[in-house]
Amino acid sequence: MATTGAISFTDPAVQRCPFPAYAALRRQGPVYWDAASDAWIVIGYDEVRAVALDPATYSSVTGRLL
């Protein structure tokens, strides 16, 4: 796992065209913590599938009110 640092999906430029960010994340590895958006980013078929099939371990429920 890595921290993105330079890539944030809260950046308006990345939101307009996310494809270069996706490519950079794929080159770096399958799982990232994006501190700016306070979220994990999972890229890669096997990793996304593992997360999707295991809701007991991986959940978007945080108990926090936004």
Side-chain angles (χ1 to χ4, degrees):
M1 288 181 272
T3 302
T4 61
I7 299 168
S8 175
F9 287 90
T10 61
D11 181 339
V14 173
Q15 290 176 359
R16 278 191 297 280
C17 184
F19 302 107
Y22 295 154
L25 292 176
R26 281 193 300 273
R27 284 190 301 273
Q28 293 178 34
V31 180
Y32 300 90
W33 173 251
D34 179 11
S37 62
D38 195 27
W40 289 101
I41 299 170
V42 180
I43 293 183
Y45 178 83
D46 292 334
E47 293 78 17
V48 170
R49 188 170 192 278
V51 168
L53 293 174
D54 188 359
T57 302
Y58 306 101
S59 173
S60 62
V61 176
T62 63
R64 295 179 292 161
L65 297 176
L66 299 177

